Amino acid sequence: MNICVFCSAADLDDRYVTPARQFAELIGKGGHALVWGGSDTGLMKVMADGVRGAGGRLIGVSVEFLAHKAYEGADEMVVTKDLAERKAQLLARADAIVIMVGGTGTLDEATEILELRKHGMTDKPVVLLNTAGFYDGLKEQFLRMEAEGFLPLPLTDLVFFAEDGVGALAYLEEKAGVQG
């Protein structure tokens, strides 16, 4: 499976780095490829190093203004002209999407894929990896949107909330029919 991971390029606390490294190793050991923003910084680097170290493939999609921060040694690296094209390339190359901790860029990517799912424009599974309760508030907001009629389909049809990488990958492999 090509698993697209949206995550931060910032250097973060160990409570986020350690679970990210563990998840990356699971992806690599599972024979999957990481499709990611291509950066050699922060959680993006942690994910790439972990997947690579566990034998997985790396498919990076950077953007011109960040190309100087691109990860060296990716199996494939695409450089797009802008962020919109980058998102489109990330989604096109992915079989599944995992949203990890991140800032406004990650939130932008998350809402775009959920909007595409909501409108039936993709059926790729989406996991929101809620490391250290990072997305508890967002989950509460989504539940309120669902309860008050803002979502045309059940929240569970849009996104799966996982508390750890094991749960995230198990869900994705089940959706893809991968035998564990």
Side-chain angles (χ1 to χ4, degrees):
M1 226 182 335
N2 286 352
I3 301 173
C4 177
V5 171
F6 295 131
C7 65
S8 179
D11 291 322
L12 301 171
D13 188 85
D14 280 346
R15 67 184 163 153
Y16 301 120
V17 172
T18 300
R21 187 175 296 113
Q22 292 165 347
F23 182 49
E25 290 169 2
L26 289 172
I27 291 171
K29 287 177 184 171
H32 306 296
L34 173 68
V35 179
W36 93 118
S39 183
D40 193 27
T41 61
L43 277 194
M44 286 197 198
K45 178 177 177 23
V46 169
M47 291 300 297
D49 287 348
V51 170
R52 162 66 29 90
R57 284 182 32 85
L58 299 177
I59 304 166
V61 183
S62 188
V63 64
E64 285 179 2
F65 71 89
L66 294 175
H68 65 284
K69 294 182 179 182
Y71 189 89
E72 293 290 326
D75 296 290
E76 184 179 347
M77 182 64 70
V78 177
V79 179
T80 64
K81 66 178 174 32
D82 58 34
L83 291 171
E85 184 183 334
R86 180 194 207 184
K87 278 191 295 190
Q89 284 292 317
L90 286 164
L91 295 176
R93 293 166 186 275
D95 300 313
I97 292 86
V98 176
I99 303 155
M100 294 178 60
V101 298
T104 55
T106 303
L107 195 56
D108 171 60
E109 293 158 341
T111 54
E112 178 152 337
I113 188 62
L114 294 178
E115 196 65 10
L116 291 171
R117 281 189 56 83
K118 182 179 92 174
H119 292 291
M121 298 178 76
T122 184
D123 62 354
K124 295 175 184 181
V126 178
V127 173
L128 209 150
L129 187 46
N130 193 24
T131 303
F134 185 81
Y135 285 119
D136 286 350
L138 184 60
K139 184 176 184 179
E140 185 177 329
Q141 185 63 48
F142 281 147
L143 289 169
R144 181 175 179 180
M145 288 175 185
E146 180 180 43
E148 295 185 18
F150 289 94
L151 301 179
L153 50 130
L155 181 60
T156 55
D157 289 354
L158 286 178
V159 62
F160 175 78
F161 282 83
E163 297 304 313
D164 58 34
V166 171
L169 193 58
Y171 173 82
L172 294 179
E173 288 180 341
E174 177 185 324
K175 287 292 184 190
V178 174
Q179 300 300 316

